[in-house]
Amino acid sequence: MPVFISYSRTDLDFVDRLAKNLVSERVHVWLDRWEMKVGDSLIDKIQSAIKSSDYLCVVLSKASVSSDWCRKELNSALMRELEEKRVVVLPVLLEDCEIPFFLKEKFYADFRNSFQSGFQDLKNALAHAATSSLGRFESADSDTDWGIDWGLFNGKFFFVRMTAVHIYKNYPFTLLAEIQLTCNDKATLRNQYFESAGLGWFHRETILEILWEFEEIRNLRILIEDNLPKQVVTVFKDANSKQEITISLSIRRLGMDTGQDTLYDFDFLIDGIRDDRENRVQQPTEEEKKKIIELIKRNPHGV
C-alpha cells in the first residue's frame, strides 16, 4: 500500500527530496501535491489516503509540530495504529523540535545530521512496502509464503518464476507450488530492450500481467494423489510480435501422507500473489511513462 507523507509546506524542499528518493527505491508514495486535482475535496482525499496507506511518515520539524493540519493527520494514523495493533506511524526527524507526546517512545529516522543515514533507517523500516518480490497471504485454513525471482533459463531465455509454500493449519503436510513464465527469443529481446533503458521492472510487470489475465490457466485444478510433482504446461502467443511465453505450473505435496487426495486450485495462488503485491508495486513516474512511450514508438523488436 502507499506510504503517506505528512509534512508542513515550510519543509517542501526536504519532502520533495525524500519522496523522490523513496520512489527511486520503488516505494509507492502518496504525496498531496502529486495526487490532488483541482476540485478534489481536501479532507475526503487525505482521509481516504491515510486509511488506505500502510504507513504514515510524519516529518517532524518546528513548523510541522505546530501545524493543526499535521496534528490531525498524525492523530488519524495513531488511531489506526491502536486499532490494528501494528506500527503505522514512522517519525522522520528533520530538525530539533518538540516531539509530540505519543511519538516520544518511538525510534525515529534521524535526518538532522545526514540525509543518507536517516534515509537508510527509513528505507529499512519500509522494506515491506518496497518489496513486491516477497510476501505472505493468509486464508481461513492456511498461510502462504511466496517469492518471485527472474533470470535467464539455460543462459538464454528470460524467465520470471514464482515459488510458494502453503502451510496448512489443520493438516500435517505442506504444498510446494511453482509457476514459471519463460520467454522465447523475441520476448527475451524485449526484456533486454527495456532492461538497457533501466525499465526491466516494467517488462517483468507486463509478463506478470499475462499471468493474471490468461484465461487458459484460470480455473485450473490439479489432483494430487501422491508425493510426486504434478505439472501443466501451456503457451501464450502474440501473433503480431511473434513473442511467446511458456507457462509451466507445478505442485507437489510435502510432509505426512494422509492417504487422501488433494485438489489444488491455481487460481487461489495466482489471485493471492496478485492481491498481496497490488499496492506494493510502484507505478511509473511521469518521467518513466514518457520513456516507456518513447521506447514503444521505436519498436525495434516488436515491443
Side-chain angles (χ1 to χ4, degrees):
M1 290 186 177
V3 173
F4 184 100
I5 301 181
S6 175
Y7 67 101
S8 164
R9 296 279 172 163
T10 305
D11 307 317
L12 203 55
D13 289 344
F14 169 80
V15 171
D16 275 349
R17 183 183 179 189
L18 177 64
K20 288 175 182 176
N21 274 266
L22 288 172
V23 168
S24 71
E25 296 290 337
R26 312 313 309 172
V27 176
H28 187 178
V29 173
W30 199 99
L31 193 62
D32 55 0
R33 292 184 301 103
W34 294 357
E35 305 291 342
M36 300 290 290
K37 299 181 181 65
V38 174
D40 283 345
S41 167
L42 186 64
I43 294 175
D44 290 348
K45 192 89 172 181
I46 288 181
Q47 186 177 38
S48 174
I50 292 175
K51 285 182 179 178
S52 63
S53 295
D54 257 350
Y55 299 100
L56 180 138
C57 287
V58 54
V59 178
L60 298 173
S61 67
K62 294 182 178 69
S64 70
V65 297
S66 61
S67 163
D68 288 339
W69 190 262
C70 290
R71 195 174 299 116
K72 288 176 182 177
E73 292 176 345
L74 175 60
N75 288 341
S76 294
L78 286 171
M79 286 298 296
R80 270 194 61 199
E81 194 165 275
L82 289 171
E83 291 169 1
E84 298 176 17
K85 295 180 175 59
R86 68 175 186 86
V87 174
V88 173
V89 179
L90 302 177
V92 169
L93 188 59
L94 176 57
E95 60 186 5
D96 290 326
C97 60
E98 182 62 35
I99 296 176
F101 177 77
F102 289 108
L103 295 182
K104 286 186 176 180
E105 95 292 352
K106 281 182 174 283
F107 179 78
Y108 48 79
D110 192 346
F111 285 79
R112 289 175 299 177
N113 298 317
S114 166
F115 183 93
Q116 290 306 321
S117 175
F119 186 75
Q120 186 61 51
D121 286 341
L122 182 60
K123 189 171 76 168
N124 291 343
L126 289 171
H128 173 73
T131 301
S132 58
S133 58
L134 290 171
R136 166 177 284 199
F137 61 89
E138 302 174 354
S139 69
D141 64 350
S142 67
D143 294 335
T144 300
D145 289 335
W146 60 267
I148 300 177
D149 65 300
W150 52 87
L152 291 178
F153 182 66
N154 289 336
K156 186 176 180 181
F157 300 110
F158 183 75
F159 73 86
V160 177
R161 176 172 53 207
M162 298 180 186
T163 306
V165 178
H166 301 288
I167 306 158
Y168 291 91
K169 298 171 184 176
N170 299 315
Y171 299 99
F173 60 80
T174 60
L175 295 180
L176 176 64
E178 184 175 283
I179 303 174
Q180 180 163 314
L181 300 95
T182 306
C183 298
N184 71 347
D185 53 354
K186 292 284 285 185
T188 296
L189 275 174
R190 183 181 192 270
N191 173 71
Q192 293 170 353
Y193 182 54
F194 277 91
E195 196 72 57
S196 65
L199 290 166
W201 68 269
F202 176 78
H203 175 252
R204 293 192 293 274
E205 292 304 322
T206 60
I207 290 177
L208 290 175
E209 199 65 35
I210 291 171
L211 181 66
W212 310 148
E213 304 297 333
F214 194 29
E215 290 293 334
E216 194 167 324
I217 59 173
R218 285 309 194 162
N219 301 314
L220 176 63
R221 292 173 175 81
I222 296 180
L223 185 64
I224 306 171
E225 302 167 290
D226 50 39
N227 65 313
L228 299 177
K230 304 296 183 291
Q231 187 177 50
V232 172
V233 178
T234 187
V235 179
F236 170 85
K237 297 182 180 181
D238 186 328
N240 292 326
S241 66
K242 303 219 181 330
Q243 296 180 54
E244 295 184 4
I245 297 178
T246 300
I247 304 174
S248 171
L249 308 97
S250 65
I251 183 73
R252 70 180 302 175
R253 185 166 53 198
L254 306 172
M256 295 180 63
D257 187 354
T258 61
Q260 296 179 328
D261 296 343
T262 302
L263 190 64
Y264 184 77
D265 183 355
F266 268 98
D267 261 6
F268 174 75
L269 175 61
I270 292 170
D271 289 341
I273 294 178
R274 181 197 60 194
D275 294 346
D276 194 29
R277 297 178 78 246
E278 184 176 15
N279 292 312
R280 286 188 277 145
V281 176
Q282 175 66 42
Q283 299 303 306
T285 64
E286 289 304 316
E287 184 179 342
E288 286 174 329
K289 286 178 184 177
K290 292 176 183 176
K291 201 171 182 180
I292 290 167
I293 292 171
E294 183 60 32
L295 287 172
I296 293 173
K297 284 180 180 177
R298 292 177 195 166
N299 196 22
H301 303 301
V303 174

